[in-house]
Amino acid sequence: STLGKSQDRIAETASQGKTLEAQIQDLRATALPREEANTLVQGLMELQDQRVSKRLDTAEQRGKSDQRAAVEAVSRVEERVAVMSEEVVRQTAELSTIKQQCADLAL
């Protein structure tokens, strides 16, 4: 009985070995040659580099665009400040004129 079980195990192991060997042969038959595999890997790496480079370029362009927008915003604020300054000068002159008129009337 023990001998029979051992023989069954040996037969099963031999069968598994043959199955594994057949699978290995299949894999070898379908495997890419090393040079072709290396070429594919290199191509994939180049594609990845291009994607990263493109992302960096896009980020850089976005940064330049943001910087341009910030410069334009500062320019608009400076223009408003200049207009306000002119208005303050005009109103100060007007106030001086009114004060002078009041002083003249008081005399």
Side-chain angles (χ1 to χ4, degrees), residues 4-20:
K5 285 182 182 177
S6 293
Q7 287 176 338
D8 287 346
R9 277 192 183 157
I10 290 170
E12 187 180 323
T13 304
S15 172
Q16 288 175 350
K18 286 180 184 175
T19 302
L20 284 173

Side-chain angles (χ1 to χ4, degrees), residues 55-80:
R55 284 188 195 132
L56 289 174
D57 290 347
T58 301
E60 187 178 337
Q61 290 302 319
R62 220 179 275 136
K64 286 180 182 176
S65 177
D66 290 350
Q67 185 178 10
R68 238 179 277 128
V71 167
E72 290 170 6
V74 167
S75 292
R76 286 192 299 274
V77 169
E78 287 172 341
E79 288 171 15
R80 280 192 228 133

Side-chain angles (χ1 to χ4, degrees), residues 13-79:
T13 304
S15 172
Q16 288 175 350
K18 286 180 184 175
T19 302
L20 284 173
E21 201 169 305
Q23 288 175 341
I24 290 170
Q25 291 302 321
D26 287 348
L27 285 173
R28 284 188 180 145
T30 58
L32 290 175
R34 181 170 293 214
E35 288 176 21
E36 199 172 327
N38 287 341
T39 302
L40 280 175
V41 168
Q42 189 173 350
L44 287 172
M45 289 172 67
E46 287 172 8
L47 271 177
Q48 185 66 25
D49 288 348
Q50 289 173 2
R51 285 184 186 151
V52 168
S53 180
K54 195 176 286 187
R55 284 188 195 132
L56 289 174
D57 290 347
T58 301
E60 187 178 337
Q61 290 302 319
R62 220 179 275 136
K64 286 180 182 176
S65 177
D66 290 350
Q67 185 178 10
R68 238 179 277 128
V71 167
E72 290 170 6
V74 167
S75 292
R76 286 192 299 274
V77 169
E78 287 172 341
E79 288 171 15

